Amino acid sequence: MVDPHVLVIFGASGDLNTRKLVPAVFELYKFGLLPDKFAFLGASRTDMTDEEFRQRLIYDNEHLDTSNATQEQIDDYAKMLYYADISDYANPEDLKIVRGRLEEIDEKHGTPGNYIFYLSTPPSLYDKIPAALAEVGLNNPKGGGWSRLIVEKPFGYDTESAEKLNDKIQEYFDEDDIYRIDHYLGKETVQNLLVTRFANGFFEPLWNRNYVHSIQITAAETVGVGSRGGYYDDSGALRDMVQNHLLQVLAHVAMEPPIGPDAKSIRDEKLKLFRSLRPIEGDDIAKNVVRGQYVSAKTEAGLQNGYLEEEGVPKDSKTETYVAIKCYIDNWRWAGVPIYIRTGKHMPMKLTEVVITFTNPPQRIFAEMDDEALSCDNRLIIRITPKEGMALEFGMKVPGEGFRVKNVDMDFFYQDLTQGDVPEAYERLLLDAMKGDPTLYARGDSVVAAWKFVDGILEGWKNNPDIPVHDYPAGSWGPQAATDLWDNCEECSWRNPAEAVFENDKYSLL
C-alpha cells in the first residue's frame, strides 16, 4: 500500500533525474504502482516553468521509454510533474518557494502533506538541505503527514565525515525516515541472494568454511573516466565502488540468516558482517591490496587514453582506477575463507558477478586418467549484471571410452521468470521508499562500519607512498599483481569470462 504523496527531487535538472528518476517513476505509473493521488516536484537552479520542465523531462527525454505507452498515459504523467525554480538549495527563503508549491500541489492533487525529498545534488549539500527543510517545517509536516529523505551516494568521504553527516541529518530526520540509496541493492540478483541462501535447504549446509574454498566479487566497467577525471581523482575505485556497492553485495553473500524478512533484522545482520571484516592495516596492505591505473592501449574501440592523459587528472596522480583486495571475515561461519574483491575501469567487458568456489573432493581419483579433472572446480556463478542469472558449474564425464572429465553448467536467467523486462534498480528502490520499506537502503551505522574497513587501506596508502600503483593496459583484466593475490592456490584465480555471446538463442555465463 502506497500512501498519497509528492516526490520532490532536488537537482531536478541534473543527469540522474533525466536518465533514471523520471523514467523509473514513469514505469511505476504505467504498471499502476503509484497511488491515485501523486505528484512529482522538481527543484533546481535552472530557470524553467512547469510546461518547460514537462517538455524537457517527458516529451524530449530520450531515456523515457514510451514504446509501450499510449499518448494519453504520457500526457497524464506529464500533468503530474511540477517545477520550482530556486537559486540556493540550502537557503530557507528558497525552500519557502518549495513549500508554497507543495501547498498548491496538495490542494490540487489531494496529497495530504506526505513528502519524499530526494537529494540528487552535490554531496556538499547533503547536510544543508535537511537543515533548510527543517527551518521551513517540511521535515515534520503539519496535519499528520510524513516526510522521508533519500540521500544519494557518496555518503561521506571517510569514517569521520560519514559520522558527522549522520549526526547532522539525524538532527532533523529520524533514522527510520532516512533512506541512503545504493542502486546496487535494487538489482534483482542482489536481492535474490537472500532468497537463494535462505529459501533453499540444499545451499545452507554448504554455505560456510567447511565447503566454500573462496568467494570472489567482480565489478568491471569497459569505459574510462572520460570527462569526469577531475571528480574521479578525488574519489578512486576504493571509495567509488568498494565502500558502498561491493561491500553491500558481500553482506548479502556472507551475512548470517536474519530472524525475519523485515528491514531491521536484515540490516542488523549486515552490520554484524561489516564489523566482522578483518582490518587491513600496516604491512598487510601491500600484501593483500593491489591498486592500479589503466594506461593507453588499443582496444576494439580504438586507441584509448591512459588515466594520466584524461581531462582533469593531475600528471602525478596516484588515484586508483582499479583495486583488488584479499580479505577475511572473522566469524564462526567464514573463518579462514579468503574473500577476493576487485573493480576497475577500462576492462574487457562490463559485468558484475559473484563466484562461490566450493572445496574440491579430498582426492581427485580421475586426475590420473585426465589432467583436465584437476581444473574442474564446482562453482556457483551469480551474475548481477548484465543478463541477470545464475549458473552452477560442475564436472561431468565426456561420452566415450575412459573417464574424461569436463566442466558443464546448469543455468537460469531472470528473463525466464517474466514476459517483460526485469525492473530497473531505481524502480524498485523508489517504490520501497514510497511504501516506507527501508530494507534495501543502507543504515547509518552500517555505512560507518563499511567506511572503517576502507579507511584502514586509504590511510595505509597515504602514509606509505612506496606502495606501488600498477599499470594495466586499457581493455585488460587488470595488473598481474592482482593475480598474485591468489598465491596460496596454484589452481585458483580470478574468473575472467569471455565476451558474452548467444549460441542457438542460448546465453551462457561461462
Side-chain angles (χ1 to χ4, degrees):
M1 181 67 179
V2 181
D3 293 336
H5 68 279
V6 184
L7 175 62
V8 183
I9 308 294
F10 289 103
S13 60
D15 189 55
L16 178 64
N17 190 41
T18 302
R19 290 189 303 109
K20 296 293 185 181
L21 303 184
V22 167
V25 177
F26 185 52
E27 292 300 313
L28 297 178
Y29 165 70
K30 287 191 297 184
F31 287 102
L33 298 175
L34 295 180
D36 293 336
K37 298 176 181 179
F38 171 83
F40 186 117
L41 175 64
S44 71
R45 298 186 178 103
T46 304
D47 185 12
M48 282 188 287
T49 64
D50 289 346
E51 288 304 321
E52 289 170 335
F53 184 61
R54 293 165 180 169
Q55 185 67 39
R56 177 174 173 175
L57 273 295
I58 304 297
Y59 300 106
D60 297 338
N61 188 355
E62 64 181 3
H63 302 286
L64 196 76
D65 182 10
T66 59
S67 59
N68 58 351
T70 66
Q71 189 61 48
E72 183 181 6
Q73 286 178 311
I74 298 170
D75 294 339
D76 285 346
Y77 181 57
K79 293 175 184 176
M80 299 179 188
L81 271 63
Y82 296 87
Y83 185 73
D85 178 11
I86 58 177
S87 58
D88 186 351
Y89 295 113
N91 186 346
E93 291 303 314
D94 282 42
L95 269 292
K96 288 180 182 178
I97 298 174
V98 174
R99 186 182 64 186
R101 295 248 58 191
L102 287 172
E103 290 171 354
E104 295 173 15
I105 293 169
D106 285 341
E107 180 70 24
K108 183 174 181 178
H109 288 268
T111 47
N114 295 331
Y115 310 128
I116 296 176
F117 298 104
Y118 194 120
L119 306 189
S120 178
T121 64
S124 59
L125 294 169
Y126 289 172
D127 61 340
K128 296 179 176 59
I129 294 177
L133 288 169
E135 184 75 16
V136 298
L138 287 175
N139 66 324
N140 188 19
K142 298 177 181 178
W146 47 254
S147 283
R148 297 168 188 155
L149 186 74
I150 301 179
V151 185
E152 267 288 344
K153 81 171 189 79
F155 195 88
Y157 188 76
D158 52 23
T159 302
E160 182 180 2
S161 60
E163 289 177 330
K164 288 181 178 178
L165 184 55
N166 271 336
D167 292 342
K168 192 68 175 178
I169 294 178
Q170 288 167 357
E171 287 183 31
Y172 312 110
F173 287 83
D174 293 336
E175 174 61 34
D176 290 344
D177 295 323
I178 302 170
Y179 293 70
R180 299 167 187 83
I181 195 166
D182 183 339
H183 71 270
Y184 262 57
L185 296 185
K187 296 181 183 295
E188 285 290 336
T189 320
V190 175
Q191 298 168 41
N192 195 54
L193 281 167
L194 301 182
V195 177
T196 299
R197 290 187 55 195
F198 304 133
N200 296 294
F202 58 86
F203 276 125
E204 176 56 27
L206 306 178
W207 214 265
N208 56 63
R209 61 188 175 85
N210 295 320
Y211 297 100
V212 174
H213 173 274
S214 63
I215 298 171
Q216 58 177 286
I217 302 173
T218 295
E221 298 180 83
T222 56
V223 298
V225 300
S227 61
R228 297 172 63 247
Y231 160 79
Y232 189 88
D233 201 66
D234 289 331
S235 176
L238 189 62
R239 284 188 172 96
D240 189 47
M241 291 294 293
V242 176
Q243 184 274 332
N244 41 69
H245 299 329
L246 300 189
L247 288 185
Q248 289 288 343
V249 172
L250 176 60
H252 281 69
V253 172
M255 62 185 272
E256 292 298 314
I259 60 174
D262 58 285
K264 184 179 186 304
S265 297
I266 291 174
R267 299 204 294 180
D268 283 349
E269 295 303 332
K270 289 166 68 174
L271 175 61
K272 290 180 188 177
L273 189 281
F274 292 141
R275 289 177 172 172
S276 299
L277 284 169
R278 182 187 302 176
I280 304 177
E281 301 170 334
D283 294 339
D284 288 338
I285 293 175
K287 297 176 183 177
N288 295 313
V289 183
V290 172
R291 57 176 172 169
Q293 287 180 351
Y294 61 83
V295 295
S296 179
K298 191 173 184 179
T299 68
E300 292 182 358
L303 183 64
Q304 305 297 321
N305 286 336
Y307 177 68
L308 299 180
E309 300 164 343
E310 300 283 22
E311 178 184 347
V313 176
K315 300 306 178 186
D316 60 349
S317 173
K318 287 193 172 183
T319 298
E320 75 287 355
T321 64
Y322 174 98
V323 64
I325 301 171
K326 179 182 178 180
C327 61
Y328 293 89
I329 299 170
D330 288 335
N331 64 15
W332 191 271
R333 180 182 295 269
W334 296 113
V337 176
I339 314 292
Y340 299 89
I341 300 172
R342 65 173 172 172
T343 182
K345 292 187 174 295
H346 259 320
M347 301 184 80
M349 61 183 294
K350 180 178 176 62
L351 69 89
T352 302
E353 70 178 18
V354 178
V355 179
I356 312 293
T357 301
F358 296 96
T359 54
N360 286 314
Q363 185 175 2
R364 304 239 183 144
I365 62 175
F366 301 113
E368 296 179 2
M369 306 175 190
D370 182 5
D371 290 340
E372 287 192 26
L374 285 171
S375 62
C376 289
D377 290 319
N378 299 150
R379 299 190 293 188
L380 178 63
I381 301 160
I382 304 167
R383 178 65 60 81
I384 295 172
T385 184
K387 294 291 182 182
E388 298 91 338
M390 296 188 182
L392 184 62
E393 186 177 353
F394 53 95
M396 290 291 288
K397 178 184 177 298
V398 176
E401 185 178 351
F403 286 96
R404 291 185 56 227
V405 181
K406 182 179 180 180
N407 267 8
V408 299
D409 72 288
M410 294 189 299
D411 53 29
F412 154 80
F413 300 94
Y414 275 89
Q415 198 64 42
D416 297 340
L417 282 183
T418 177
Q419 294 180 348
D421 294 330
V422 176
E424 290 286 337
Y426 278 99
E427 296 171 32
R428 173 63 187 271
L429 291 171
L430 284 172
L431 182 60
D432 281 357
M434 293 174 182
K435 292 178 177 179
D437 181 357
T439 304
L440 298 179
Y441 287 83
R443 201 168 64 188
D445 49 8
S446 288
V447 171
V448 171
W451 269 121
K452 287 181 178 178
F453 173 74
V454 167
D455 267 0
I457 301 171
L458 291 169
E459 193 67 20
W461 286 345
K462 179 181 177 181
N463 295 335
N464 189 352
D466 293 333
I467 295 176
V469 180
H470 298 272
D471 292 344
Y472 65 97
S476 71
W477 281 106
Q480 174 60 37
T483 301
D484 296 339
L485 292 175
W486 297 76
D487 58 2
N488 66 328
C489 181
E490 295 180 0
E491 303 166 17
C492 307
S493 188
W494 300 104
R495 191 185 102 90
N496 295 334
E499 185 64 47
V501 295
F502 285 93
E503 294 181 0
N504 300 323
D505 295 326
K506 182 65 175 176
Y507 179 85
S508 176
L509 291 181
L510 303 180

